[in-house]
Amino acid sequence: MANTISYLVLFYMFSDCLTQCSQNDIKNGDSPPIKTLNFTQIAAQVGYAVNEYDVTTQDAYILKLFHIPGDKTKPVLLMHGIIDSADTFILRGNTSLAVTLSRAGYDVWIGNTRGNRYARRHIYLHPENDVEFWDFSFHEYGLYDLPAIIDFILDQTGEASLSAVGHSQGSTNFLVLGALRPDYNEKVKVLVALSPICFLANVKNVASLMLQSVSILDQIYQITGQEELFGDETSLGQLFRAVCGCKGSYSVCAYGIFFPVAGSDPEELEPDFFPTIVAHYPTGTSRKNAVHVSQLGIKEKFSNFDYQWRNVDIYNSTTPPEYELSNVTMKVALLVGRNDQISTIKDVELLRSKLPNVVEYKIIHHKKFNHIDAVWGRNMYKYLFPEILKVLKNI
Ligand SMILES: *[C@@H]1O[C@H](CO)[C@@H](O)[C@H](O)[C@H]1NC(C)=O
Ligand SMILES: *[C@@H]1O[C@H](CO)[C@@H](O)[C@H](O)[C@H]1NC(C)=O
Ligand SMILES: *[C@@H]1O[C@H](CO)[C@@H](O)[C@H](O)[C@H]1NC(C)=O
Ligand SMILES: *[C@@H]1O[C@H](CO)[C@@H](O)[C@H](O)[C@H]1NC(C)=O
């Protein structure tokens, strides 16, 4: 019942958007949504040259890795969150995190996880034709994608370890890595976890409804045989862009979708910038990844994927094993916001209590700091980035 209601709510939001957008388009004779530039092009606009590399994982996915060269002895890897990409760290141009770190002298590497617009490639599987391509969740991001990316960077720089910044699910991936591949704890000097995701027992309001509604989405997707979620060419991705990418949809899409889910902070995500976000976000992930995230919320445990009746075959146990957080021995800094509806203070404090090596725990000063400000906020170069630089410097 609750599921049906939440699905109706989501449907209502979308249909409302659709009307709003087309009315506005007619009224203003709007130009089509702004063009999606790629990471390298955005960096070039603010005067930064980017190297692009292809990194191949142990299980043959090919991931694009961006690099803004700096002091080779100070590599920093940035990892994006769910249905996001490297772009998120450069969208704000000269006030973005990638540029801020580069300006401070760091050798900045920006990664992508399998399935997004920069990582929809595999040596022998095809994303359109092979459903196996989409058989992954954040488990594989941590188990395969991060090791390949980290080893590539350490090889290029000749360093023994790197610093890392993860936003949202970007930090989850590192927790999985540290739990499953203990030798990588030494390769991460420190993880700065922005709005980290691990436990999702206290997710608020609409974000919680959204987690619950994943099971409905899952059923629809299974029936229709779709495995790619929010990909650039999928109907859901295109619908979203068509609806929210035009001028005038800010009130409906920011106030109707982004703010209820992530926490409201209109000062930090202003109408002028909103179309830029929509041109780049979301990008693809797998159905399985969304389901795995929703399982964290439903079970209130940080566990491997729950295959239900197949668990016994796969895990030799009726329940999936939990990720061993006590094995995540890398240094971790946890930065959270009071107004974050997804990564709530309660859940992050629980994570803090389970991790053996938390070097910093900080509630960001800015009172309305929500789940998306860390990457898209207009003034983060004032509120947040100095905190990140401080952690990186003091390690
Ligand atoms: C980004 O765009 C530039 C210029 O069009 C192109 O050379 C480059 O290959 C593109 N990179 C990616 C990852 O798409
Ligand atoms: C970013 O660039 C704009 C325009 O060139 C400039 O006014 C602003 O001060 C710059 N911001 C930072 C943090 O460097
Ligand atoms: C976690 O650490 C314990 C103690 O060092 C070890 O016995 C166990 O195998 C580790 N788990 C994993 C998944 O590596
Ligand atoms: C499966 O689990 C049972 C009970 O915990 C154990 O006795 C058995 O050795 C396990 N089998 C395998 C193949 O690991």
Side-chain angles (χ1 to χ4, degrees), residues 256-271:
I257 301 174
F258 283 75
F259 292 155
V261 174
S264 181
D265 193 1
E267 281 158 48
E268 288 301 302
L269 180 50
E270 71 281 20

PDB file of all heavy atoms in Angstrom, residues 256-271:
ATOM      1  N   GLY A 256      10.051  20.195  -6.535  1.00  0.00           N
ATOM      2  CA  GLY A 256       9.199  19.014  -6.574  1.00  0.00           C
ATOM      3  C   GLY A 256       9.949  17.695  -6.472  1.00  0.00           C
ATOM      4  O   GLY A 256       9.404  16.710  -6.023  1.00  0.00           O
ATOM      5  N   ILE A 257      11.220  17.686  -6.895  1.00  0.00           N
ATOM      6  CA  ILE A 257      11.955  16.414  -6.892  1.00  0.00           C
ATOM      7  C   ILE A 257      13.249  16.500  -6.077  1.00  0.00           C
ATOM      8  O   ILE A 257      13.410  15.826  -5.064  1.00  0.00           O
ATOM      9  CB  ILE A 257      12.276  15.957  -8.337  1.00  0.00           C
ATOM     10  CG1 ILE A 257      10.972  15.796  -9.133  1.00  0.00           C
ATOM     11  CG2 ILE A 257      13.058  14.641  -8.307  1.00  0.00           C
ATOM     12  CD1 ILE A 257      11.168  15.484 -10.601  1.00  0.00           C
ATOM     13  N   PHE A 258      14.173  17.377  -6.495  1.00  0.00           N
ATOM     14  CA  PHE A 258      15.502  17.396  -5.861  1.00  0.00           C
ATOM     15  C   PHE A 258      15.431  17.748  -4.377  1.00  0.00           C
ATOM     16  O   PHE A 258      16.015  17.059  -3.538  1.00  0.00           O
ATOM     17  CB  PHE A 258      16.432  18.386  -6.581  1.00  0.00           C
ATOM     18  CG  PHE A 258      16.968  17.861  -7.881  1.00  0.00           C
ATOM     19  CD1 PHE A 258      16.155  17.794  -9.007  1.00  0.00           C
ATOM     20  CD2 PHE A 258      18.282  17.421  -7.994  1.00  0.00           C
ATOM     21  CE1 PHE A 258      16.641  17.309 -10.222  1.00  0.00           C
ATOM     22  CE2 PHE A 258      18.770  16.933  -9.198  1.00  0.00           C
ATOM     23  CZ  PHE A 258      17.955  16.884 -10.318  1.00  0.00           C
ATOM     24  N   PHE A 259      14.745  18.828  -4.052  1.00  0.00           N
ATOM     25  CA  PHE A 259      14.740  19.283  -2.653  1.00  0.00           C
ATOM     26  C   PHE A 259      14.014  18.330  -1.705  1.00  0.00           C
ATOM     27  O   PHE A 259      14.527  18.055  -0.615  1.00  0.00           O
ATOM     28  CB  PHE A 259      14.196  20.709  -2.549  1.00  0.00           C
ATOM     29  CG  PHE A 259      15.099  21.751  -3.164  1.00  0.00           C
ATOM     30  CD1 PHE A 259      14.585  22.963  -3.630  1.00  0.00           C
ATOM     31  CD2 PHE A 259      16.470  21.534  -3.276  1.00  0.00           C
ATOM     32  CE1 PHE A 259      15.427  23.934  -4.192  1.00  0.00           C
ATOM     33  CE2 PHE A 259      17.324  22.491  -3.836  1.00  0.00           C
ATOM     34  CZ  PHE A 259      16.786  23.692  -4.305  1.00  0.00           C
ATOM     35  N   PRO A 260      12.836  17.819  -2.098  1.00  0.00           N
ATOM     36  CA  PRO A 260      12.184  16.871  -1.168  1.00  0.00           C
ATOM     37  C   PRO A 260      13.046  15.634  -0.907  1.00  0.00           C
ATOM     38  O   PRO A 260      13.055  15.111   0.201  1.00  0.00           O
ATOM     39  CB  PRO A 260      10.896  16.483  -1.908  1.00  0.00           C
ATOM     40  CG  PRO A 260      10.644  17.573  -2.867  1.00  0.00           C
ATOM     41  CD  PRO A 260      11.988  18.109  -3.252  1.00  0.00           C
ATOM     42  N   VAL A 261      13.774  15.174  -1.909  1.00  0.00           N
ATOM     43  CA  VAL A 261      14.573  13.960  -1.735  1.00  0.00           C
ATOM     44  C   VAL A 261      15.871  14.255  -0.987  1.00  0.00           C
ATOM     45  O   VAL A 261      16.265  13.519  -0.079  1.00  0.00           O
ATOM     46  CB  VAL A 261      14.890  13.310  -3.108  1.00  0.00           C
ATOM     47  CG1 VAL A 261      15.835  12.131  -2.938  1.00  0.00           C
ATOM     48  CG2 VAL A 261      13.596  12.857  -3.783  1.00  0.00           C
ATOM     49  N   ALA A 262      16.536  15.353  -1.374  1.00  0.00           N
ATOM     50  CA  ALA A 262      17.897  15.590  -0.860  1.00  0.00           C
ATOM     51  C   ALA A 262      17.949  16.558   0.311  1.00  0.00           C
ATOM     52  O   ALA A 262      18.933  16.597   1.044  1.00  0.00           O
ATOM     53  CB  ALA A 262      18.778  16.114  -1.990  1.00  0.00           C
ATOM     54  N   GLY A 263      16.877  17.348   0.498  1.00  0.00           N
ATOM     55  CA  GLY A 263      16.896  18.449   1.468  1.00  0.00           C
ATOM     56  C   GLY A 263      16.895  19.764   0.707  1.00  0.00           C
ATOM     57  O   GLY A 263      17.579  19.893  -0.300  1.00  0.00           O
ATOM     58  N   SER A 264      16.136  20.723   1.195  1.00  0.00           N
ATOM     59  CA  SER A 264      15.948  21.964   0.437  1.00  0.00           C
ATOM     60  C   SER A 264      17.026  22.996   0.746  1.00  0.00           C
ATOM     61  O   SER A 264      17.297  23.290   1.907  1.00  0.00           O
ATOM     62  CB  SER A 264      14.568  22.538   0.768  1.00  0.00           C
ATOM     63  OG  SER A 264      14.359  23.715   0.026  1.00  0.00           O
ATOM     64  N   ASP A 265      17.644  23.523  -0.310  1.00  0.00           N
ATOM     65  CA  ASP A 265      18.639  24.584  -0.134  1.00  0.00           C
ATOM     66  C   ASP A 265      18.723  25.431  -1.404  1.00  0.00           C
ATOM     67  O   ASP A 265      19.722  25.389  -2.135  1.00  0.00           O
ATOM     68  CB  ASP A 265      20.011  23.955   0.194  1.00  0.00           C
ATOM     69  CG  ASP A 265      20.990  25.011   0.699  1.00  0.00           C
ATOM     70  OD1 ASP A 265      20.596  26.206   0.809  1.00  0.00           O
ATOM     71  OD2 ASP A 265      22.146  24.656   0.973  1.00  0.00           O
ATOM     72  N   PRO A 266      17.655  26.212  -1.668  1.00  0.00           N
ATOM     73  CA  PRO A 266      17.592  26.967  -2.926  1.00  0.00           C
ATOM     74  C   PRO A 266      18.707  28.006  -3.090  1.00  0.00           C
ATOM     75  O   PRO A 266      19.065  28.333  -4.219  1.00  0.00           O
ATOM     76  CB  PRO A 266      16.217  27.646  -2.872  1.00  0.00           C
ATOM     77  CG  PRO A 266      15.737  27.497  -1.480  1.00  0.00           C
ATOM     78  CD  PRO A 266      16.429  26.337  -0.878  1.00  0.00           C
ATOM     79  N   GLU A 267      19.255  28.493  -1.980  1.00  0.00           N
ATOM     80  CA  GLU A 267      20.367  29.458  -2.117  1.00  0.00           C
ATOM     81  C   GLU A 267      21.568  28.816  -2.795  1.00  0.00           C
ATOM     82  O   GLU A 267      22.300  29.462  -3.539  1.00  0.00           O
ATOM     83  CB  GLU A 267      20.848  29.936  -0.743  1.00  0.00           C
ATOM     84  CG  GLU A 267      19.988  30.981  -0.104  1.00  0.00           C
ATOM     85  CD  GLU A 267      20.214  30.981   1.398  1.00  0.00           C
ATOM     86  OE1 GLU A 267      21.393  30.978   1.820  1.00  0.00           O
ATOM     87  OE2 GLU A 267      19.213  30.945   2.136  1.00  0.00           O
ATOM     88  N   GLU A 268      21.789  27.550  -2.491  1.00  0.00           N
ATOM     89  CA  GLU A 268      22.979  26.877  -3.022  1.00  0.00           C
ATOM     90  C   GLU A 268      22.762  26.273  -4.406  1.00  0.00           C
ATOM     91  O   GLU A 268      23.716  25.991  -5.110  1.00  0.00           O
ATOM     92  CB  GLU A 268      23.450  25.796  -2.043  1.00  0.00           C
ATOM     93  CG  GLU A 268      24.091  26.351  -0.791  1.00  0.00           C
ATOM     94  CD  GLU A 268      25.306  27.227  -1.100  1.00  0.00           C
ATOM     95  OE1 GLU A 268      26.240  26.736  -1.735  1.00  0.00           O
ATOM     96  OE2 GLU A 268      25.301  28.411  -0.706  1.00  0.00           O
ATOM     97  N   LEU A 269      21.499  26.025  -4.742  1.00  0.00           N
ATOM     98  CA  LEU A 269      21.191  25.493  -6.078  1.00  0.00           C
ATOM     99  C   LEU A 269      20.183  26.440  -6.710  1.00  0.00           C
ATOM    100  O   LEU A 269      18.974  26.284  -6.585  1.00  0.00           O
ATOM    101  CB  LEU A 269      20.627  24.068  -5.961  1.00  0.00           C
ATOM    102  CG  LEU A 269      20.241  23.358  -7.259  1.00  0.00           C
ATOM    103  CD1 LEU A 269      21.370  23.428  -8.284  1.00  0.00           C
ATOM    104  CD2 LEU A 269      19.898  21.905  -6.983  1.00  0.00           C
ATOM    105  N   GLU A 270      20.705  27.456  -7.400  1.00  0.00           N
ATOM    106  CA  GLU A 270      19.861  28.538  -7.893  1.00  0.00           C
ATOM    107  C   GLU A 270      19.285  28.213  -9.273  1.00  0.00           C
ATOM    108  O   GLU A 270      19.835  27.393 -10.007  1.00  0.00           O
ATOM    109  CB  GLU A 270      20.684  29.837  -7.921  1.00  0.00           C
ATOM    110  CG  GLU A 270      21.770  29.923  -8.987  1.00  0.00           C
ATOM    111  CD  GLU A 270      23.061  29.172  -8.659  1.00  0.00           C
ATOM    112  OE1 GLU A 270      23.034  28.275  -7.811  1.00  0.00           O
ATOM    113  OE2 GLU A 270      24.087  29.467  -9.297  1.00  0.00           O
ATOM    114  N   PRO A 271      18.172  28.878  -9.648  1.00  0.00           N
ATOM    115  CA  PRO A 271      17.504  28.591 -10.919  1.00  0.00           C
ATOM    116  C   PRO A 271      18.420  28.675 -12.143  1.00  0.00           C
ATOM    117  O   PRO A 271      18.317  27.842 -13.039  1.00  0.00           O
ATOM    118  CB  PRO A 271      16.407  29.663 -10.996  1.00  0.00           C
ATOM    119  CG  PRO A 271      16.136  30.032  -9.581  1.00  0.00           C
ATOM    120  CD  PRO A 271      17.430  29.870  -8.841  1.00  0.00           C
TER     121      PRO A 271
END
